[in-house]
Amino acid sequence: MKSGCVLAVVFLAVFCHGSLSCPAVCKCYSRRMEVVCNDVPLIEYPSEGLPENTTMLTIQFTNITSISEQHLSATPLLQELHLNENHLENLSSHLLRGVPHLHTLDLTGNKLSNLPADVFSHAVIRSLVLKNNLINQADAEWLPDNSSLTWLDLSGNHLSKIPTTLLQRLPNLENVDLSNNRLEKLSSNSLDPLTKLGRLNLQNNKLNTLDASVFQRMHNLTSLFLSQNKLNKLPSNIFQELTQLTHLSLDDNQLSHIPTGLFDPLNSLEDDGLDLTGNPLLCDGKVEYLWRWLQKNKKKVFLAETITCALPELLAGRSVMSLTENEFKLS
C-alpha cells in the first residue's frame, strides 16, 4: 500500500515538476498530461500553476482577451492548444517560440482580426484552426517557408482574397477550409502549390466564375465544395485533372448551362457525390449534355430528380431527367 502511494506521488511530481498545484478554476489530468479550463471566470491566461509537463491544454468559454509568448513558455512541452470560444483580440508576435513541440492550435470563435508577422512560426504546427474570427486579411508572414501545416481552417472570417504568397508556403496542406468568407476571385495559379490537397471547401463565398486552370495541379483532390456561391458559368475543362474526385458540390449557384464534357473526367464520383440542386437551369438545346449525363449517372447525383428547369416558362419546374429530346430541342 505504502509503495503504491509513493509511486503515485512520484508520478504526479514528475507531471507537475515538483508542484502538485493546478490553476484553481481548471482541472488537471496527470495520466494524460492534460489541463482543461472550461467555462470558468478567467480574464487572464492562467500561466501560474500550470504543470510544466502539460502536453494538452484547453481553455474555452472564458473572458481572456490576449495571449503572449511569455504565457506559453510556462508549458514548454505543449503539443495541443485549444483556445476556442474566448474573447481573444490579440496574439503576440513570435507567439510559439516557447512551445516548439506544438502541432495543433485551435483558435475558433474569438475576436481576432489583425495578426502579427511570425505569429505561427517557431513550431511545427500541422493543424491550425482560425474559424469564426474577424480576420479580413491573410498574410504570408504568419508562417515560415515550407510550413508543416496539413490542415488549415480559415472559415467564417471576412476574407475577400487569399494571397498566393501564403499558399506557396504551405506545400503540405491536405485540407483547406475557406468557407463562409467573402472571396470574390481565385487567381488562375493561386492553388498550384497545393499538390497534396485532398479536401477544399469554398462554400458560401462570392465567387462568380473560375479560371479553367485553377484546379490543374490538384491531382489528389477528393472533395470540392463550391455550393452557395454566385457561379454563373464554368469552363468545360475546369475539372479535367480531378480524376480522384469523389464529392463535388455545385448547389445553390447561378448556373444556367452545364458545358459539354464538364463532368466526363469525374469517373471517381461516389453515389450521391455530385450536388447540382438549386441552380436556375435553362432547358434549351444546350441542356442535352446534362440530360444525357444524368441518364447514365443518376446514382452519382444527389436528388437527381429535383434538378429542375427554371426556363423556358413552358418547362419551368420540370425535372431535367424527365424531359424528352423533342421538348428541349424545341425550346
Side-chain angles (χ1 to χ4, degrees):
M1 287 290 289
K2 289 184 178 180
S3 62
C5 291
V6 170
L7 286 173
V9 170
V10 169
F11 186 84
L12 285 170
V14 170
F15 176 53
C16 299
H17 267 217
S19 171
L20 301 183
S21 65
C22 183
V25 295
C26 304
K27 295 180 180 179
C28 295
Y29 303 93
S30 59
R31 291 184 182 276
R32 300 196 299 265
M33 308 296 187
E34 179 181 7
V35 177
V36 177
C37 311
N38 183 25
D39 197 14
V40 293
L42 280 175
I43 58 173
E44 293 183 355
Y45 188 89
S47 298
E48 295 185 10
L50 285 175
E52 288 183 24
N53 272 8
T54 302
T55 59
M56 182 184 297
L57 175 59
T58 299
I59 302 173
Q60 57 186 4
F61 299 102
T62 76
N63 293 315
I64 295 174
T65 59
S66 64
I67 182 173
S68 68
E69 175 190 344
Q70 289 70 32
H71 288 140
L72 294 184
S73 64
T75 51
L77 300 181
L78 201 61
Q79 296 178 21
E80 295 188 31
L81 178 58
H82 302 271
L83 294 170
N84 44 311
E85 306 299 337
N86 293 291
H87 288 79
L88 289 172
E89 299 174 359
N90 300 299
L91 303 178
S92 68
S93 186
H94 306 291
L95 177 69
L96 308 181
R97 187 148 46 187
V99 284
H101 306 288
L102 194 75
H103 59 71
T104 299
L105 178 58
D106 187 348
L107 292 157
T108 297
N110 282 283
K111 298 180 179 179
L112 299 170
S113 54
N114 298 315
L115 303 181
D118 295 318
V119 62
F120 303 124
S121 297
H122 309 295
V124 287
I125 298 185
R126 296 194 295 272
S127 177
L128 176 60
V129 182
L130 293 163
K131 180 179 181 178
N132 294 345
N133 277 279
L134 305 173
I135 300 169
N136 54 31
Q137 184 173 342
D139 192 339
E141 299 303 317
W142 290 349
L143 292 150
D145 287 328
N146 200 28
S147 168
S148 301
L149 270 189
T150 60
W151 185 295
L152 176 62
D153 189 342
L154 279 163
S155 62
N157 281 283
H158 299 163
L159 298 170
S160 59
K161 61 181 179 179
I162 294 293
T164 304
T165 50
L166 172 61
L167 300 179
Q168 287 172 341
R169 296 188 173 206
L170 308 174
N172 297 301
L173 276 181
E174 298 173 4
N175 187 313
V176 177
D177 195 337
L178 297 169
S179 62
N180 303 308
N181 275 285
R182 302 171 182 175
L183 299 178
E184 298 177 356
K185 183 180 180 182
L186 293 176
S187 56
S188 57
N189 301 113
S190 60
L191 302 178
D192 284 1
L194 309 184
T195 56
K196 296 182 180 180
L197 203 66
R199 186 177 186 274
L200 175 60
N201 192 345
L202 294 164
Q203 179 176 307
N204 195 22
N205 278 283
K206 297 184 178 182
L207 301 169
N208 55 42
T209 188
L210 292 168
D211 188 272
S213 63
V214 70
F215 304 127
Q216 66 179 350
R217 300 287 182 88
M218 309 184 81
H219 305 295
N220 293 306
L221 200 67
T222 58
S223 298
L224 176 59
F225 303 94
L226 292 165
S227 58
Q228 297 174 2
N229 277 279
K230 298 183 178 181
L231 296 171
N232 52 54
K233 60 180 179 179
L234 290 171
S236 61
N237 60 342
I238 191 170
F239 302 136
Q240 186 172 348
E241 303 299 326
L242 304 186
T243 55
Q244 304 301 313
L245 205 66
T246 60
H247 291 88
L248 171 62
S249 66
L250 288 166
D251 49 297
D252 296 315
N253 277 283
Q254 299 298 316
L255 297 172
S256 57
H257 288 108
I258 300 301
T260 299
L262 181 68
F263 300 137
D264 290 355
L266 306 182
N267 294 321
S268 295
L269 281 177
E270 295 182 354
D271 288 355
D272 294 330
L274 172 65
D275 191 345
L276 198 58
T277 58
N279 282 283
L281 295 172
L282 172 57
C283 292
D284 57 9
K286 294 180 181 179
V287 83
E288 182 174 1
Y289 166 73
L290 176 60
W291 177 75
R292 292 190 184 280
W293 191 89
L294 288 173
Q295 308 297 329
K296 295 179 181 179
N297 298 278
K298 179 181 177 181
K299 289 184 177 180
K300 296 183 177 182
V301 184
F302 177 69
L303 297 177
E305 295 84 357
T306 67
I307 299 173
T308 58
C309 307
L311 290 171
E313 189 173 340
L314 183 65
L315 298 177
R318 283 280 303 278
S319 168
V320 172
M321 290 186 63
S322 73
L323 299 177
T324 65
E325 198 166 352
N326 286 336
E327 284 179 312
F328 61 73
K329 286 192 172 180
L330 290 174
S331 299

Short mmCIF file of all heavy atoms in Angstrom, two decimals, residues 28-78:
data_model
loop_
_atom_site.label_atom_id
_atom_site.label_comp_id
_atom_site.label_asym_id
_atom_site.label_seq_id
_atom_site.Cartn_x
_atom_site.Cartn_y
_atom_site.Cartn_z
N CYS A 28 -6.78 19.25 -13.84
CA CYS A 28 -5.55 18.67 -14.35
C CYS A 28 -5.64 17.15 -14.32
O CYS A 28 -6.04 16.57 -13.32
CB CYS A 28 -4.35 19.14 -13.52
SG CYS A 28 -4.04 20.92 -13.62
N TYR A 29 -5.28 16.54 -15.45
CA TYR A 29 -5.32 15.09 -15.57
C TYR A 29 -3.89 14.60 -15.78
O TYR A 29 -3.35 14.67 -16.89
CB TYR A 29 -6.21 14.68 -16.74
CG TYR A 29 -7.62 15.21 -16.62
CD1 TYR A 29 -7.97 16.42 -17.23
CD2 TYR A 29 -8.61 14.53 -15.91
CE1 TYR A 29 -9.26 16.93 -17.13
CE2 TYR A 29 -9.89 15.03 -15.80
CZ TYR A 29 -10.22 16.22 -16.41
OH TYR A 29 -11.50 16.72 -16.31
N SER A 30 -3.31 14.08 -14.71
CA SER A 30 -1.89 13.72 -14.75
C SER A 30 -1.60 12.59 -15.72
O SER A 30 -0.56 12.57 -16.37
CB SER A 30 -1.40 13.36 -13.35
OG SER A 30 -2.14 12.27 -12.82
N ARG A 31 -2.50 11.63 -15.83
CA ARG A 31 -2.25 10.48 -16.71
C ARG A 31 -2.16 10.91 -18.18
O ARG A 31 -1.44 10.31 -18.96
CB ARG A 31 -3.35 9.43 -16.54
CG ARG A 31 -3.31 8.72 -15.19
CD ARG A 31 -4.36 7.62 -15.12
NE ARG A 31 -4.35 6.96 -13.82
CZ ARG A 31 -3.54 5.99 -13.49
NH1 ARG A 31 -2.65 5.55 -14.37
NH2 ARG A 31 -3.58 5.44 -12.29
N ARG A 32 -2.93 11.94 -18.55
CA ARG A 32 -2.94 12.40 -19.94
C ARG A 32 -2.09 13.66 -20.13
O ARG A 32 -2.03 14.19 -21.23
CB ARG A 32 -4.38 12.68 -20.39
CG ARG A 32 -5.30 11.49 -20.33
CD ARG A 32 -6.57 11.73 -21.14
NE ARG A 32 -7.35 12.86 -20.66
CZ ARG A 32 -8.37 12.76 -19.81
NH1 ARG A 32 -8.71 11.57 -19.33
NH2 ARG A 32 -9.05 13.83 -19.43
N MET A 33 -1.46 14.14 -19.08
CA MET A 33 -0.69 15.38 -19.13
C MET A 33 -1.56 16.50 -19.71
O MET A 33 -1.12 17.28 -20.56
CB MET A 33 0.57 15.21 -20.01
CG MET A 33 1.43 14.03 -19.64
SD MET A 33 2.13 14.17 -17.99
CE MET A 33 3.23 12.76 -17.97
N GLU A 34 -2.81 16.57 -19.25
CA GLU A 34 -3.80 17.48 -19.84
C GLU A 34 -4.37 18.42 -18.78
O GLU A 34 -4.60 18.04 -17.64
CB GLU A 34 -4.94 16.66 -20.47
CG GLU A 34 -6.03 17.50 -21.09
CD GLU A 34 -7.15 16.66 -21.68
OE1 GLU A 34 -7.14 15.42 -21.48
OE2 GLU A 34 -8.05 17.24 -22.31
N VAL A 35 -4.60 19.68 -19.20
CA VAL A 35 -5.24 20.67 -18.35
C VAL A 35 -6.45 21.22 -19.10
O VAL A 35 -6.35 21.57 -20.29
CB VAL A 35 -4.29 21.83 -17.97
CG1 VAL A 35 -5.01 22.87 -17.13
CG2 VAL A 35 -3.08 21.29 -17.22
N VAL A 36 -7.60 21.31 -18.40
CA VAL A 36 -8.83 21.83 -19.00
C VAL A 36 -9.40 22.94 -18.13
O VAL A 36 -9.65 22.75 -16.94
CB VAL A 36 -9.89 20.71 -19.16
CG1 VAL A 36 -11.18 21.29 -19.73
CG2 VAL A 36 -9.36 19.59 -20.05
N CYS A 37 -9.58 24.11 -18.74
CA CYS A 37 -10.22 25.25 -18.08
C CYS A 37 -11.44 25.61 -18.92
O CYS A 37 -11.34 26.34 -19.91
CB CYS A 37 -9.26 26.44 -17.99
SG CYS A 37 -7.62 26.03 -17.35
N ASN A 38 -12.58 25.07 -18.57
CA ASN A 38 -13.78 25.13 -19.40
C ASN A 38 -14.89 25.94 -18.75
O ASN A 38 -15.34 25.60 -17.65
CB ASN A 38 -14.26 23.70 -19.69
CG ASN A 38 -15.46 23.69 -20.62
OD1 ASN A 38 -15.65 24.60 -21.41
ND2 ASN A 38 -16.27 22.65 -20.53
N ASP A 39 -15.32 27.02 -19.43
CA ASP A 39 -16.46 27.83 -18.96
C ASP A 39 -16.23 28.29 -17.52
O ASP A 39 -17.05 28.05 -16.63
CB ASP A 39 -17.74 27.01 -19.06
CG ASP A 39 -18.99 27.89 -19.00
OD1 ASP A 39 -18.85 29.12 -19.13
OD2 ASP A 39 -20.08 27.35 -18.79
N VAL A 40 -15.09 28.97 -17.31
CA VAL A 40 -14.72 29.44 -15.97
C VAL A 40 -14.43 30.94 -16.04
O VAL A 40 -14.15 31.49 -17.10
CB VAL A 40 -13.49 28.67 -15.44
CG1 VAL A 40 -13.85 27.22 -15.17
CG2 VAL A 40 -12.32 28.76 -16.41
N PRO A 41 -14.47 31.65 -14.89
CA PRO A 41 -14.33 33.11 -14.87
C PRO A 41 -12.87 33.58 -14.98
O PRO A 41 -12.34 34.24 -14.08
CB PRO A 41 -14.94 33.50 -13.52
CG PRO A 41 -14.69 32.32 -12.65
CD PRO A 41 -14.82 31.12 -13.55
N LEU A 42 -12.22 33.23 -16.09
CA LEU A 42 -10.85 33.67 -16.32
C LEU A 42 -10.84 34.94 -17.16
O LEU A 42 -11.56 35.03 -18.17
CB LEU A 42 -10.06 32.59 -17.06
CG LEU A 42 -9.51 31.41 -16.27
CD1 LEU A 42 -8.86 30.41 -17.22
CD2 LEU A 42 -8.48 31.88 -15.25
N ILE A 43 -10.02 35.90 -16.78
CA ILE A 43 -9.84 37.10 -17.60
C ILE A 43 -8.40 37.22 -18.08
O ILE A 43 -8.09 38.06 -18.91
CB ILE A 43 -10.25 38.39 -16.84
CG1 ILE A 43 -9.43 38.53 -15.56
CG2 ILE A 43 -11.75 38.38 -16.55
CD1 ILE A 43 -9.67 39.85 -14.84
N GLU A 44 -7.53 36.38 -17.55
CA GLU A 44 -6.13 36.33 -17.98
C GLU A 44 -5.70 34.89 -18.17
O GLU A 44 -6.23 33.97 -17.54
CB GLU A 44 -5.22 37.00 -16.94
CG GLU A 44 -5.44 38.50 -16.80
CD GLU A 44 -4.46 39.13 -15.82
OE1 GLU A 44 -3.69 38.37 -15.19
OE2 GLU A 44 -4.46 40.37 -15.69
N TYR A 45 -4.72 34.71 -19.04
CA TYR A 45 -4.18 33.38 -19.28
C TYR A 45 -3.58 32.84 -17.98
O TYR A 45 -2.78 33.52 -17.33
CB TYR A 45 -3.12 33.45 -20.36
CG TYR A 45 -2.61 32.12 -20.84
CD1 TYR A 45 -3.24 31.46 -21.89
CD2 TYR A 45 -1.50 31.52 -20.25
CE1 TYR A 45 -2.77 30.23 -22.35
CE2 TYR A 45 -1.03 30.30 -20.70
CZ TYR A 45 -1.66 29.66 -21.75
OH TYR A 45 -1.20 28.45 -22.19
N PRO A 46 -3.94 31.62 -17.57
CA PRO A 46 -3.53 31.09 -16.25
C PRO A 46 -2.13 30.48 -16.25
O PRO A 46 -1.94 29.28 -15.98
CB PRO A 46 -4.59 30.02 -15.98
CG PRO A 46 -4.91 29.49 -17.34
CD PRO A 46 -4.84 30.69 -18.27
N SER A 47 -1.11 31.30 -16.52
CA SER A 47 0.27 30.77 -16.59
C SER A 47 0.71 30.16 -15.28
O SER A 47 1.27 29.06 -15.24
CB SER A 47 1.23 31.91 -16.97
OG SER A 47 0.92 32.43 -18.22
N GLU A 48 0.46 30.87 -14.19
CA GLU A 48 0.90 30.40 -12.89
C GLU A 48 0.07 29.19 -12.45
O GLU A 48 -1.15 29.22 -12.52
CB GLU A 48 0.80 31.51 -11.85
CG GLU A 48 1.73 32.69 -12.13
CD GLU A 48 1.68 33.72 -11.02
OE1 GLU A 48 1.07 33.44 -9.97
OE2 GLU A 48 2.25 34.81 -11.23
N GLY A 49 0.78 28.15 -12.03
CA GLY A 49 0.08 26.96 -11.56
C GLY A 49 -0.08 25.90 -12.61
O GLY A 49 -0.47 24.77 -12.30
N LEU A 50 0.20 26.21 -13.90
CA LEU A 50 0.12 25.18 -14.93
C LEU A 50 1.29 24.22 -14.80
O LEU A 50 2.44 24.64 -14.73
CB LEU A 50 0.15 25.82 -16.32
CG LEU A 50 -1.12 26.53 -16.79
CD1 LEU A 50 -0.85 27.20 -18.14
CD2 LEU A 50 -2.28 25.55 -16.92
N PRO A 51 1.04 22.92 -14.76
CA PRO A 51 2.14 21.95 -14.71
C PRO A 51 3.04 22.10 -15.93
O PRO A 51 2.56 22.15 -17.06
CB PRO A 51 1.41 20.59 -14.71
CG PRO A 51 0.04 20.90 -14.20
CD PRO A 51 -0.29 22.27 -14.70
N GLU A 52 4.34 22.13 -15.71
CA GLU A 52 5.28 22.35 -16.80
C GLU A 52 5.25 21.23 -17.84
O GLU A 52 5.58 21.44 -19.00
CB GLU A 52 6.70 22.50 -16.25
CG GLU A 52 6.93 23.82 -15.53
CD GLU A 52 8.37 23.96 -15.08
OE1 GLU A 52 9.25 23.31 -15.68
OE2 GLU A 52 8.61 24.72 -14.13
N ASN A 53 4.87 20.04 -17.42
CA ASN A 53 4.85 18.90 -18.34
C ASN A 53 3.55 18.77 -19.12
O ASN A 53 3.33 17.77 -19.79
CB ASN A 53 5.11 17.59 -17.58
CG ASN A 53 6.59 17.29 -17.48
OD1 ASN A 53 7.41 18.12 -17.83
ND2 ASN A 53 6.92 16.12 -16.97
N THR A 54 2.69 19.75 -19.04
CA THR A 54 1.43 19.72 -19.78
C THR A 54 1.69 19.59 -21.27
O THR A 54 2.47 20.34 -21.85
CB THR A 54 0.62 21.01 -19.52
OG1 THR A 54 0.38 21.15 -18.12
CG2 THR A 54 -0.71 20.98 -20.26
N THR A 55 1.01 18.63 -21.90
CA THR A 55 1.13 18.47 -23.35
C THR A 55 -0.15 18.86 -24.08
O THR A 55 -0.11 19.14 -25.28
CB THR A 55 1.48 17.01 -23.71
OG1 THR A 55 0.44 16.15 -23.21
CG2 THR A 55 2.82 16.61 -23.13
N MET A 56 -1.29 18.88 -23.36
CA MET A 56 -2.55 19.31 -23.97
C MET A 56 -3.25 20.29 -23.04
O MET A 56 -3.46 20.00 -21.86
CB MET A 56 -3.47 18.11 -24.24
CG MET A 56 -4.79 18.50 -24.91
SD MET A 56 -5.94 17.11 -25.13
CE MET A 56 -5.00 16.06 -26.21
N LEU A 57 -3.61 21.46 -23.59
CA LEU A 57 -4.25 22.50 -22.79
C LEU A 57 -5.48 23.01 -23.51
O LEU A 57 -5.42 23.38 -24.69
CB LEU A 57 -3.27 23.65 -22.55
CG LEU A 57 -3.80 24.90 -21.83
CD1 LEU A 57 -4.34 24.55 -20.45
CD2 LEU A 57 -2.70 25.95 -21.72
N THR A 58 -6.61 22.99 -22.80
CA THR A 58 -7.87 23.50 -23.34
C THR A 58 -8.38 24.62 -22.44
O THR A 58 -8.62 24.40 -21.25
CB THR A 58 -8.93 22.39 -23.42
OG1 THR A 58 -8.46 21.35 -24.28
CG2 THR A 58 -10.24 22.93 -23.97
N ILE A 59 -8.55 25.81 -23.03
CA ILE A 59 -9.14 26.95 -22.32
C ILE A 59 -10.25 27.48 -23.21
O ILE A 59 -9.99 28.04 -24.28
CB ILE A 59 -8.10 28.06 -22.05
CG1 ILE A 59 -6.93 27.52 -21.24
CG2 ILE A 59 -8.74 29.23 -21.31
CD1 ILE A 59 -5.78 28.51 -21.07
N GLN A 60 -11.49 27.28 -22.80
CA GLN A 60 -12.60 27.69 -23.67
C GLN A 60 -13.74 28.30 -22.86
O GLN A 60 -13.92 28.02 -21.69
CB GLN A 60 -13.10 26.50 -24.47
CG GLN A 60 -13.55 25.30 -23.65
CD GLN A 60 -13.89 24.10 -24.51
OE1 GLN A 60 -13.73 24.12 -25.72
NE2 GLN A 60 -14.36 23.03 -23.88
N PHE A 61 -14.48 29.19 -23.55
CA PHE A 61 -15.62 29.90 -22.94
C PHE A 61 -15.17 30.70 -21.71
O PHE A 61 -15.73 30.57 -20.63
CB PHE A 61 -16.74 28.91 -22.57
CG PHE A 61 -17.29 28.17 -23.75
CD1 PHE A 61 -16.93 26.85 -23.99
CD2 PHE A 61 -18.16 28.79 -24.64
CE1 PHE A 61 -17.43 26.16 -25.08
CE2 PHE A 61 -18.67 28.10 -25.73
CZ PHE A 61 -18.31 26.79 -25.96
N THR A 62 -14.12 31.50 -21.90
CA THR A 62 -13.65 32.40 -20.83
C THR A 62 -13.60 33.82 -21.38
O THR A 62 -13.96 34.07 -22.53
CB THR A 62 -12.25 32.00 -20.34
OG1 THR A 62 -11.27 32.42 -21.29
CG2 THR A 62 -12.14 30.51 -20.09
N ASN A 63 -13.11 34.75 -20.57
CA ASN A 63 -13.03 36.17 -20.96
C ASN A 63 -11.60 36.61 -21.25
O ASN A 63 -11.30 37.81 -21.21
CB ASN A 63 -13.65 37.05 -19.87
CG ASN A 63 -15.15 36.84 -19.76
OD1 ASN A 63 -15.85 36.78 -20.76
ND2 ASN A 63 -15.64 36.70 -18.54
N ILE A 64 -10.71 35.68 -21.54
CA ILE A 64 -9.33 36.02 -21.89
C ILE A 64 -9.31 36.82 -23.19
O ILE A 64 -9.96 36.45 -24.17
CB ILE A 64 -8.49 34.75 -22.04
CG1 ILE A 64 -8.37 34.02 -20.70
CG2 ILE A 64 -7.10 35.07 -22.58
CD1 ILE A 64 -7.68 32.69 -20.81
N THR A 65 -8.55 37.93 -23.22
CA THR A 65 -8.50 38.79 -24.41
C THR A 65 -7.17 38.74 -25.14
O THR A 65 -7.09 39.20 -26.29
CB THR A 65 -8.81 40.25 -24.04
OG1 THR A 65 -7.84 40.69 -23.08
CG2 THR A 65 -10.21 40.38 -23.46
N SER A 66 -6.12 38.23 -24.52
CA SER A 66 -4.82 38.20 -25.19
C SER A 66 -3.99 37.02 -24.70
O SER A 66 -4.24 36.46 -23.63
CB SER A 66 -4.06 39.51 -24.95
OG SER A 66 -3.75 39.66 -23.57
N ILE A 67 -2.99 36.68 -25.51
CA ILE A 67 -2.07 35.59 -25.15
C ILE A 67 -0.71 35.92 -25.76
O ILE A 67 -0.64 36.42 -26.90
CB ILE A 67 -2.59 34.23 -25.64
CG1 ILE A 67 -1.64 33.11 -25.21
CG2 ILE A 67 -2.82 34.20 -27.12
CD1 ILE A 67 -2.17 31.72 -25.50
N SER A 68 0.35 35.66 -25.01
CA SER A 68 1.68 36.05 -25.44
C SER A 68 2.65 34.87 -25.40
O SER A 68 2.37 33.80 -24.85
CB SER A 68 2.22 37.17 -24.55
OG SER A 68 2.47 36.65 -23.24
N GLU A 69 3.83 35.10 -25.96
CA GLU A 69 4.91 34.12 -25.91
C GLU A 69 5.27 33.79 -24.47
O GLU A 69 5.54 32.63 -24.13
CB GLU A 69 6.12 34.69 -26.64
CG GLU A 69 7.37 33.84 -26.56
CD GLU A 69 8.59 34.55 -27.09
OE1 GLU A 69 8.43 35.58 -27.80
OE2 GLU A 69 9.71 34.09 -26.81
N GLN A 70 5.26 34.79 -23.61
CA GLN A 70 5.59 34.58 -22.20
C GLN A 70 4.58 33.66 -21.52
O GLN A 70 4.94 32.82 -20.69
CB GLN A 70 5.67 35.93 -21.46
CG GLN A 70 6.87 36.78 -21.83
CD GLN A 70 6.79 37.35 -23.24
OE1 GLN A 70 5.69 37.63 -23.74
NE2 GLN A 70 7.94 37.53 -23.88
N HIS A 71 3.31 33.81 -21.85
CA HIS A 71 2.29 32.93 -21.29
C HIS A 71 2.57 31.46 -21.63
O HIS A 71 2.55 30.58 -20.77
CB HIS A 71 0.91 33.31 -21.83
CG HIS A 71 0.37 34.59 -21.29
ND1 HIS A 71 -0.30 35.51 -22.08
CD2 HIS A 71 0.40 35.13 -20.04
CE1 HIS A 71 -0.67 36.53 -21.34
NE2 HIS A 71 -0.25 36.33 -20.10
N LEU A 72 2.84 31.22 -22.90
CA LEU A 72 3.01 29.84 -23.35
C LEU A 72 4.31 29.21 -22.86
O LEU A 72 4.42 27.98 -22.78
CB LEU A 72 2.94 29.77 -24.88
CG LEU A 72 1.59 30.12 -25.51
CD1 LEU A 72 1.65 29.91 -27.01
CD2 LEU A 72 0.47 29.30 -24.91
N SER A 73 5.30 30.03 -22.55
CA SER A 73 6.58 29.49 -22.10
C SER A 73 6.46 28.73 -20.78
O SER A 73 7.37 27.98 -20.40
CB SER A 73 7.61 30.62 -21.97
OG SER A 73 7.22 31.54 -20.96
N ALA A 74 5.32 28.88 -20.09
CA ALA A 74 5.11 28.14 -18.83
C ALA A 74 4.92 26.64 -19.07
O ALA A 74 5.06 25.84 -18.15
CB ALA A 74 3.89 28.71 -18.09
N THR A 75 4.60 26.27 -20.32
CA THR A 75 4.37 24.86 -20.65
C THR A 75 5.18 24.51 -21.90
O THR A 75 4.62 24.34 -22.99
CB THR A 75 2.87 24.59 -20.90
OG1 THR A 75 2.38 25.57 -21.85
CG2 THR A 75 2.08 24.71 -19.61
N PRO A 76 6.49 24.36 -21.77
CA PRO A 76 7.37 24.19 -22.94
C PRO A 76 7.18 22.88 -23.71
O PRO A 76 7.66 22.76 -24.83
CB PRO A 76 8.77 24.27 -22.33
CG PRO A 76 8.59 23.84 -20.90
CD PRO A 76 7.24 24.37 -20.50
N LEU A 77 6.49 21.91 -23.11
CA LEU A 77 6.28 20.62 -23.78
C LEU A 77 4.92 20.52 -24.46
O LEU A 77 4.52 19.46 -24.93
CB LEU A 77 6.44 19.47 -22.78
CG LEU A 77 7.80 19.37 -22.10
CD1 LEU A 77 7.82 18.19 -21.15
CD2 LEU A 77 8.93 19.27 -23.12
N LEU A 78 4.22 21.63 -24.53
CA LEU A 78 2.86 21.64 -25.08
C LEU A 78 2.83 21.15 -26.53
O LEU A 78 3.64 21.57 -27.36
CB LEU A 78 2.29 23.07 -25.00
CG LEU A 78 0.78 23.23 -25.05
CD1 LEU A 78 0.12 22.52 -23.87
CD2 LEU A 78 0.40 24.70 -25.05
#
